Amino acid sequence: AITIFLFLGFGRVTALAEEAEDFERMIPRAMPVGILLLTVIFALLAFTIYGDVDASSLNNTPIPHIVFAQMVGGRTLGVIMALISVYMTAVTFNAGVLSTSRLVYALAREGSLPRVFSRLSLRYSTPYAALIFLYVVALGVSVWLQLTNYFSLVLLLGSAVDAVIYSFVAMSFTGCRLKHPEWRRPFRVWGGLPLSIGIAGLFILILAALLASSAWQVSALLFSSLALALGYAGYVTRRKNNRA
């Protein structure tokens, strides 16, 4: 579940592609470099943890990175790690909200979400309605988590939802390439259709593993969310077909 969250940034760049200069050249270059850097950093961190400290002491704490820093460098390094963690949390949160707001804006612009979320600020050229909506949702979830301490439930639910999204994206890509092979391709990925089919299967297996090892609340929330999403998608499709 945690591994999925480590790579969420790759999905977010697609929502910002319209605002990037020469995105057809830069994004295919940036993503492999990002994967390589993350792999090296995670590998070195894991090697250090399991080679120099007692990893069992990190299993039952919500802040293992700070505990690890204290074990390696004492209280001073622990405080530094805490400050870095707060800074990176703020940066990551803002990046997530900013990129997701573009996705909400694009869906509203295309008629898949209420039109109110497609409103733009004439002064700053930003989707202010989508930004306000996401900040309100994020604040509400944060308050709810603080009151209930259901952090693991939300983590598992979020991972399951992302597994569903990634598998659907891979299947949609496969379907588009098979149905419309003549369409222009701004990006070309090594492996093509076999790779996309394999990715879809992989995330379906991850989803099954998450549901099999999770509490019944995760499965109930996930299936409820899927039912609502599919119902809304069907409603939007019927409305577009009626207009056409």
Side-chain angles (χ1 to χ4, degrees), residues 8 20 27 88 94 151 159 164 168 187 207 223:
L8 285 183
I27 292 181
M88 294 304 298
N94 278 333
F151 295 100
S159 300
V164 171
F168 268 97
F187 303 109
L207 174 63
F223 288 128

Side-chain angles (χ1 to χ4, degrees), residues 4 6 9 29-30 55 63 69 74 98 123 140 160 163 185 204 220 222 237:
I4 293 178
L6 296 177
R29 290 184 177 182
I63 51 173
L98 290 175
R123 181 176 181 181
R185 304 182 183 186
I204 290 174
L222 176 63
T237 302

Side-chain angles (χ1 to χ4, degrees), residues 2-11 13 30-47 88 92 166:
I2 296 175
T3 303
I4 293 178
F5 278 91
L6 296 177
F7 291 90
L8 285 183
F10 300 108
V13 300
M31 293 181 73
V33 173
I35 294 176
L36 178 62
L37 290 175
L38 284 176
T39 301
V40 172
I41 292 172
F42 294 155
L44 290 175
L45 181 61
F47 178 80
M88 294 304 298
T92 304
Y166 291 157

Side-chain angles (χ1 to χ4, degrees), residues 5 60 67 83 93-94 123 125-126 147 150 152-153 187 199:
F5 278 91
N60 299 317
V67 175
L83 294 175
F93 177 81
N94 278 333
R123 181 176 181 181
S125 299
T126 55
L147 295 176
Y150 286 162
S152 59
L153 178 62
F187 303 109
I199 290 175

Side-chain angles (χ1 to χ4, degrees), residues 26-95:
M26 297 304 297
I27 292 181
R29 290 184 177 182
M31 293 181 73
V33 173
I35 294 176
L36 178 62
L37 290 175
L38 284 176
T39 301
V40 172
I41 292 172
F42 294 155
L44 290 175
L45 181 61
F47 178 80
T48 304
I49 289 177
Y50 289 101
D52 296 339
V53 302
D54 181 12
S56 61
S57 60
L58 306 177
N59 292 335
N60 299 317
T61 173
I63 51 173
H65 53 298
I66 298 179
V67 175
F68 170 68
Q70 291 176 339
M71 295 171 63
V72 174
R75 181 178 178 85
T76 300
L77 187 58
V79 172
I80 294 174
M81 179 63 74
L83 294 175
I84 294 175
S85 178
V86 171
Y87 172 76
M88 294 304 298
T89 299
V91 171
T92 304
F93 177 81
N94 278 333

